[in-house]
Amino acid sequence: METRTERTRFDPVDLRRRWVQVPAGDPQVAAERIEGLGVDFAAANGRVWETDDFVYLPVVVNLRTGDTISREAVVFALGHDVLVTLQPEVRFAPFDKAVARMRRTPHLAGSPHGVMYALLYALNEAAERVIDYASDALEAMTDEIDMATKGVDENGRDIGVMDMQDTIARMNEAEEIVSRSQESQLLLARAARYLRAETAASEVELGKLIDILIADIDGVKEHASFEHDKVRYLQQSIMTSLDVKQNQIVKVFTIITAVFLPPTLIATFYGMNFTWMPELEWEHGFLVTTLLTLVAALIPLAYIKRKGWLR
């Protein structure tokens, strides 16, 4: 029983033998760490590439730090006895959680495939937190979006494009986040499927865990797709509402123009310098002209109302 406990105990030294972390930003340290391993990240050139000893699998992940979303690239070089990761820095935050998971389940650290499973699991969790952040940001804009679709704010004042610029900009940011998350999940799913193919048939338990991970990655991708459809729908709703509001404004000006155009035409006639205008000598010439102007204004207004264009 004691021997079994020792065999399954987490061993950091053994983990460092099976997992080599290479910082992408420090070429000297990177060269020292991959010396003698036969790893060539430059030849892989950021694409899926297979050699006799390694399978190179690039992924791009979105990470949340407070209210900041960053995008980082990680390349896995999966070998028979060692896993090498080209990562942004030596202490890459998502991988700290992967190490914590390997401490809880020490058998994962017993093979490079188990280590890579733990790392992909941590990256998938990080991606899910980013999507949740985008979802929460959309929920925080619910009141603003509701006002935009109604066309008026809490004070009853009409809302225009300028009033919604900040909200539209934040929605565009949320759309970009979930779009990038969809891309990241595709890369994670590809890496997980390659890992599953490279895992020996004898590692039944690890194979089942990887199958669950692939399903989880696809689930997060579906969540990202749902949020993407949601934000696109909200964007379309806001823009449609603003377009309707602008069309209403144009309609008002069109009606005003139609009503005042005939009186303006009559006023233009009487502004001409004719030598003789007989109605100027009539006793009720001013009253007749005024009534004629009023009738000329009411005729297009009655026509517009009959057509229902005032609604």
Side-chain angles (χ1 to χ4, degrees), residues 78-273:
L78 178 63
H80 300 292
D81 301 313
V82 65
L83 171 68
V84 185
T85 55
L86 182 66
Q87 56 198 56
E89 53 192 18
V90 177
R91 292 298 302 272
F92 190 42
F95 288 171
D96 290 341
K97 293 194 173 183
V99 173
R101 181 176 179 82
M102 285 185 277
R103 287 196 185 98
R104 294 193 305 273
T105 52
H107 68 88
L108 294 176
S111 71
H113 301 80
V115 174
M116 184 170 173
Y117 159 79
L119 299 181
L120 290 178
Y121 187 96
L123 293 180
N124 187 53
E125 284 191 332
E128 187 172 16
R129 285 192 294 273
V130 170
I131 298 171
D132 288 339
Y133 171 78
S135 178
D136 292 341
L138 290 175
E139 289 297 327
M141 290 185 279
T142 300
D143 293 338
E144 300 170 41
I145 295 170
D146 185 56
M147 287 190 298
T149 53
K150 290 179 179 178
V152 294
D153 60 16
E154 64 272 10
N155 298 319
R157 185 175 64 88
D158 287 347
I159 293 177
V161 177
M162 295 296 293
D163 301 312
M164 295 303 299
Q165 277 188 338
D166 181 61
T167 302
I168 293 172
R170 283 183 285 145
M171 290 185 69
N172 290 339
E173 290 176 3
E175 182 190 14
E176 184 177 4
I177 289 172
V178 294
S179 296
R180 288 181 173 181
S181 296
Q182 287 178 300
E183 179 187 353
S184 297
Q185 292 308 109
L186 289 173
L187 296 175
L188 279 176
R190 182 180 65 183
R193 289 188 174 93
Y194 265 93
L195 173 62
R196 183 67 180 91
E198 293 292 320
T199 302
S202 58
E203 297 187 73
V204 178
E205 184 177 353
L206 179 59
K208 291 180 179 178
L209 290 175
I210 297 173
D211 289 337
I212 295 173
L213 174 61
I214 293 172
D216 288 343
I217 292 173
D218 290 339
V220 174
K221 179 180 176 295
E222 290 178 6
H223 185 192
S225 299
F226 170 78
E227 294 297 334
H228 185 263
D229 292 342
K230 179 180 177 181
V231 70
R232 291 299 297 271
Y233 170 76
L234 293 174
Q235 286 175 325
Q236 189 64 38
S237 297
I238 288 179
M239 296 309 298
T240 301
S241 300
L242 294 176
D243 287 342
V244 169
K245 180 65 65 177
Q246 289 180 325
N247 290 338
Q248 289 175 339
I249 294 171
V250 172
K251 182 177 72 172
V252 170
F253 280 107
T254 303
I255 292 172
I256 292 173
T257 301
V259 169
F260 282 97
L261 184 59
T264 302
L265 182 61
I266 294 173
T268 302
F269 286 142
Y270 283 95
M272 296 179 182
N273 295 322

Side-chain angles (χ1 to χ4, degrees), residues 255-267 269 288-304:
I255 292 172
I256 292 173
T257 301
V259 169
F260 282 97
L261 184 59
T264 302
L265 182 61
I266 294 173
F269 286 142
V288 171
T289 304
T290 303
L291 291 175
L292 177 63
T293 303
L294 181 61
V295 170
L298 290 176
I299 289 174
L301 183 61
Y303 178 79
I304 291 171

